[in-house]
Each structure stands twice: as structure tokens, then as C-alpha cells.
Amino acid sequence: MENQIKTDVRDEILKHLVDIERTLAWLSSKTEIPYPTLYSIFKQKTFSLSFKNLAKINRVLGTDFIHD
């Protein structure tokens, strides 16, 4: 049996932001999600990423990240 490591979609999105040289502040302005909310979701991981916010992020980034 092969072990699969499950990655958190939040980590994948942060990596993508680094790859395209964008910040959470930029993402906040484009998605109209308050910066403190994004910080709590992505850095502190005290909130989960809602499907609504994930859809906004995917629309702005042109990506298709999904919840696992």
C-alpha cells in the first residue's frame, strides 16, 4: 500500500502566491477578503478556508484549488 501525504490547500495557495510573487495583502485587495481574515486562515491557521473564499481566490488567481 502506498502512503500519500495530504497537503493542506492553504499551503498550496501560499506556495502559489510565492511562485507568482504576490502577497496576502495583494490577495486581500483583489478578493476583498479582509487581510486579518486571510492572515488567520493562511498564517495562523486558526480559521478554515470557506468554500466561498476559496472560490474568490481561485477566480482571482485563475486556479482550481479544491478542498480535500
Side-chain angles (χ1 to χ4, degrees):
M1 183 195 296
E2 183 178 321
N3 289 337
Q4 292 182 343
I5 298 173
K6 205 172 198 183
T7 59
D8 190 324
V9 70
R10 296 174 292 186
D11 295 331
E12 293 177 29
I13 293 169
L14 280 177
K15 182 184 178 318
H16 182 74
L17 287 173
V18 169
D19 291 345
I20 64 170
E21 299 178 350
R22 299 292 184 188
T23 64
L24 281 180
W26 175 86
L27 186 61
S28 173
S29 70
K30 295 297 182 182
T31 60
E32 297 182 353
I33 302 169
Y35 178 82
T37 300
L38 287 179
Y39 189 85
S40 293
I41 292 169
F42 289 101
K43 296 294 187 174
Q44 295 176 324
K45 294 189 178 179
T46 54
F47 296 138
S48 60
L49 180 58
S50 70
F51 288 102
K52 180 181 173 183
N53 284 341
L54 179 59
K56 288 179 182 180
I57 291 167
N58 278 328
R59 187 170 45 254
V60 166
L61 295 177
T63 55
D64 59 354
F65 292 110
I66 58 171
H67 277 289
D68 293 333

